[in-house]
Amino acid sequence: MAKLATIVVALVAGGILGAVGIIATMGAVNPSADRVAQTSEIVDPATSVYGTR
Amino acid sequence: MRTHAVAGAVTAVVLAPLAWPGYALRYDMVFVPRQPLNWEMLAPADSLPRAVPLDALVSLANVAIPGWLLQRIVLVAVVYLAALGAARLMPAARTGPRLVAALAYAWTPFLAERLLLGQWALLLAYAALPWLVSAARDVRDHRPGGLPRLVLASALAAVTPTGGLIALAAVLVLLPLRSRATWIAFVSVAGLNLPWLVAALTGPAGGVSDPEGVPAFAARAENWAGAWWSLAGTGGLWNASTVPASRASVLTPVVTLLLLAIAAVGLPLLRRRLPGLTDRLLILAAGGFVLAALGSGPGEPLLEWVVGHVPGGGLLRDGQKFLIPYALILALAFGAGAERLAGALARRFEPSAGRVLLGGLLLLPVAVMPDLAFGGLGALKPVHYPADWDAVARQVAAAPGDVLSLPFEGYQSYSWTDGVVVRDPAPRYLDAPVLINDALRVGTVTVDGESPRAAEVQRHLAAGRPAAELGFRWVLVRVGAGAGPPAEVLAGLRPAYAGEYLQLWSNSSVTSTSPANFDRRIFALAAHAAFAVVVIFYALALLRTRRRSW
């Protein structure tokens, strides 16, 4: 019973971490649509912008 | 020992690219091989003292340590001290919850976003806060050495105005008001804030700032949950270009909710273990959160009025930086919550079930923001300064005089920085007063600077009039950073150096630097001396206690 509980906890914790990690990594390597849209709005791709919102 | 190992591992993973030679240059992070120690570093003549006493300290350290090594030392100190400080402050008998708190504080969106924006000095305040709170606990409990540790941690925070103010507020909130130690600490930390206060009060730059900076630098929504929820997860920095992409994930707000729920579970335990201090830290955190949220909500008009009318109000415009106390209480409460949940699980089933949960929660911050690893997936990759910089620095040092840096933009990307935007290195590279534009371009908005001289030069250049009329001994042109200055602006100047990346033009009609304000210099020197005296006094006092090591 106790070992089963450990396995269940490990599966749940691992599953959550795995899912979070996979989705976060996807977000990291593939910027969301609103970021792409924001970038494409910049008419003058100036090299002197401190940042963009 | 395990806390040191985890702090070291986190530091190594976050700062891995710094194993390569060169300088990690990003936005506000500008280290140079040898930063000169001159009056500009003590009290800048034409801008608000945003890097006072930081610049003087860097110049002083640069006397003994080269810039590339100094950069690595301070960045390692930031991540390592943040993780270790949180672990040591966490009131838990077992190591597991301490490690959870360490990672929850050292692997945060706040640290990631400010690091990628290059604001390492603000992150020194972030790293110092757990140590400051720990020392405040010792002062409250009348333990020897508490006061010196409190003031020394504040000194680490007070290298910038924002950090100094956070330290001052922490002293006032965390310590009991009716105590002699509180007022000694308050006066000492106020003394640490003197360098930037004196420079601001005696400088020509106006004390008020452009209110347009409030919406430009307000907290930003990083995902579908909005700006305030981004702040709740310690993110929400204004600059989309320096935010890890994982913050835009649809799952991030859900994980923030999970984090807050676990912190809520842990808060009662934290209050029991740190009686009094937890409540005061909560008040400090709440105050910081309100300041952070003010610019992106109904409080924006009020903040605009403060920034535009109250001298020094500009300090509040990028309010997200005041999230530091919130990030700390969140990490501690999350650690306590993890301990409670793991304990409950272990009692119900077996100890290993609790340990598995603790391990999972330890890694949660990494899982939700994996792209902080390896310096934001390579964003901190070091680059090398072109040899032109040394050549120009030698020429300017041989005939010192005011330098005008063109194009007249404070921040630019260059081919040699791999396209990364960085603050003009000239004021730190050249041993001369360098005027750069302190107006900031955020997207299509230009937030005016505070320097009257920079504004005058901007108008002059915009009218297409020659730079030679402005009274600068040298005009530096950063080639390849956008369009170069038009020929009429350079009329009347003689080329002194022409390299691939830099050109130096000489104005032989000007032979000296602008007249010095000696009163201002004496005040600035005295204020920096006060800072040094406070630090030395409390360092000696700490050595005398010999009770407990850092």
Side-chain angles (χ1 to χ4, degrees):
Chain A
M1 177 65 187
K3 281 213 167 65
L4 180 67
T6 305
I7 291 168
V8 169
V9 169
L11 280 176
V12 171
I16 291 172
L17 278 177
V20 167
I22 288 167
I23 294 175
T25 306
M26 281 167 63
V29 297
N30 184 15
S32 64
D34 59 343
R35 273 177 58 105
V36 175
Q38 195 173 14
T39 307
S40 59
E41 271 172 22
I42 300 169
V43 179
D44 170 23
T47 55
S48 54
V49 175
Y50 183 31
T52 47
R53 289 185 61 84
Chain B
M1 196 62 208
R2 267 189 285 176
T3 51
H4 282 277
V6 167
V10 171
T11 308
V13 171
V14 172
L15 301 176
L18 293 182
W20 274 262
Y23 296 83
L25 302 177
R26 281 191 69 83
Y27 294 85
D28 293 314
M29 182 150 58
V30 179
F31 282 86
V32 298
R34 192 73 69 184
Q35 184 169 303
L37 183 57
N38 55 34
W39 292 108
E40 280 298 299
M41 300 302 158
L42 265 67
D46 289 304
S47 58
L48 282 183
R50 291 194 168 93
V52 173
L54 177 71
D55 270 335
L57 293 170
V58 169
S59 295
L60 209 57
N62 252 186
V63 173
I65 306 168
W68 66 268
L69 182 57
L70 184 63
Q71 179 177 41
R72 280 152 180 80
I73 290 172
V74 295
L75 291 183
V76 164
V78 162
V79 185
Y80 190 82
L81 289 179
L84 193 63
R88 292 183 66 152
L89 180 60
M90 177 71 207
R94 290 173 176 271
T95 311
R98 288 175 182 271
L99 298 182
V100 172
L103 230 71
Y105 192 62
W107 200 288
T108 54
F110 186 95
L111 188 139
E113 294 171 5
R114 292 288 165 181
L115 183 65
L116 297 183
L117 189 59
Q119 295 188 342
W120 60 272
L122 180 68
L123 289 177
L124 279 178
Y126 186 84
L129 191 65
W131 302 87
L132 194 157
V133 175
S134 174
R137 180 183 56 187
D138 290 351
V139 172
R140 290 168 63 89
D141 296 345
H142 304 288
R143 288 187 199 145
L147 185 60
R149 281 199 298 279
L150 178 81
V151 178
L152 290 175
S154 301
L156 191 62
V159 295
T160 61
T162 304
L165 286 179
I166 290 173
L168 202 59
V171 165
L172 278 179
V173 175
L174 298 179
L175 297 182
L177 268 184
R178 290 177 191 169
S179 154
R180 195 165 146 261
T182 303
W183 292 105
I184 294 173
F186 178 76
V187 170
S188 303
V189 178
L192 294 173
N193 280 278
L194 275 180
W196 68 267
L197 271 172
V198 167
L201 291 173
T202 59
V208 295
S209 300
D210 183 359
E212 226 171 348
V214 172
F217 296 116
R220 173 184 157 271
E222 293 172 336
N223 43 57
W224 55 268
W228 287 6
W229 200 246
S230 296
L231 291 173
T234 79
L237 184 80
W238 62 271
N239 192 350
S241 311
T242 64
V243 173
S246 58
R247 292 292 298 163
S249 162
V250 289
L251 207 64
T252 298
V254 182
V255 177
T256 301
L257 182 66
L258 178 67
L259 202 117
L260 288 173
I262 295 171
V265 169
L267 201 56
L269 183 65
L270 194 65
R271 290 184 71 203
R272 272 204 305 280
R273 298 231 178 112
L274 290 176
L277 196 67
T278 303
D279 290 345
R280 286 170 181 264
L281 191 53
L282 271 173
I283 293 169
L284 190 67
F289 196 95
V290 168
L291 284 177
L294 207 57
S296 55
E300 189 196 322
L302 172 69
L303 195 57
E304 281 189 17
W305 185 87
V306 171
V307 168
H309 292 85
V310 180
L315 273 169
L316 302 179
R317 69 183 182 187
D318 176 11
Q320 193 259 6
K321 62 192 171 189
F322 294 105
L323 275 186
I324 294 175
Y326 170 79
L328 181 59
I329 191 80
L330 185 63
L332 295 175
F334 181 70
E339 183 182 351
R340 268 190 84 178
L341 292 174
L345 213 60
R347 279 193 300 276
R348 177 71 181 83
F349 301 109
E350 63 167 325
S352 54
R355 281 199 292 271
V356 167
L357 183 72
L358 221 47
L361 294 180
L362 176 75
L363 294 174
L364 187 63
V366 183
V368 75
M369 196 177 60
D371 43 352
L372 171 58
F374 304 105
L377 297 184
L380 290 180
K381 187 182 156 213
V383 295
H384 293 277
Y385 280 102
D388 290 348
W389 279 98
D390 277 339
V392 164
R394 277 194 299 274
Q395 287 225 19
V396 171
D402 289 6
V403 181
L404 174 64
S405 189
L406 300 178
F408 203 52
E409 297 285 356
Y411 290 81
Q412 290 214 276
S413 65
Y414 306 90
S415 57
W416 57 271
T417 60
D418 295 333
V420 175
V421 174
V422 64
R423 192 173 188 268
D424 186 351
R428 291 191 169 106
Y429 216 113
L430 309 183
D431 192 3
V434 180
L435 185 76
I436 65 170
N437 195 352
D438 62 348
L440 299 169
R441 292 175 61 182
V442 178
T444 52
V445 175
T446 298
V447 180
D448 292 338
E450 294 85 10
S451 164
R453 194 181 181 202
E456 186 191 325
V457 168
Q458 172 73 55
R459 281 193 295 273
H460 185 96
L461 296 174
R465 293 168 62 190
E469 294 174 358
L470 290 166
F472 289 91
R473 173 73 183 82
W474 300 102
V475 173
L476 176 73
V477 178
R478 307 184 312 277
V479 182
E488 59 264 29
V489 166
L490 298 174
L493 299 172
R494 188 176 57 80
Y497 178 84
E500 187 182 351
Y501 299 99
L502 291 178
Q503 291 174 358
L504 189 65
W505 296 74
S506 166
N507 187 359
S508 47
S509 63
V510 178
T511 53
S512 62
T513 52
S514 51
N517 182 340
F518 287 105
D519 288 348
R520 184 165 191 251
R521 287 181 174 183
I522 289 169
F523 282 130
L525 199 60
H528 281 76
F531 184 97
V533 166
V534 170
V535 171
I536 292 168
F537 175 80
Y538 282 102
L540 292 175
L542 185 64
L543 285 175
R544 280 193 63 190
T545 59
R546 291 181 185 172
R547 291 277 298 174
R548 187 176 147 184
S549 74
W550 276 73

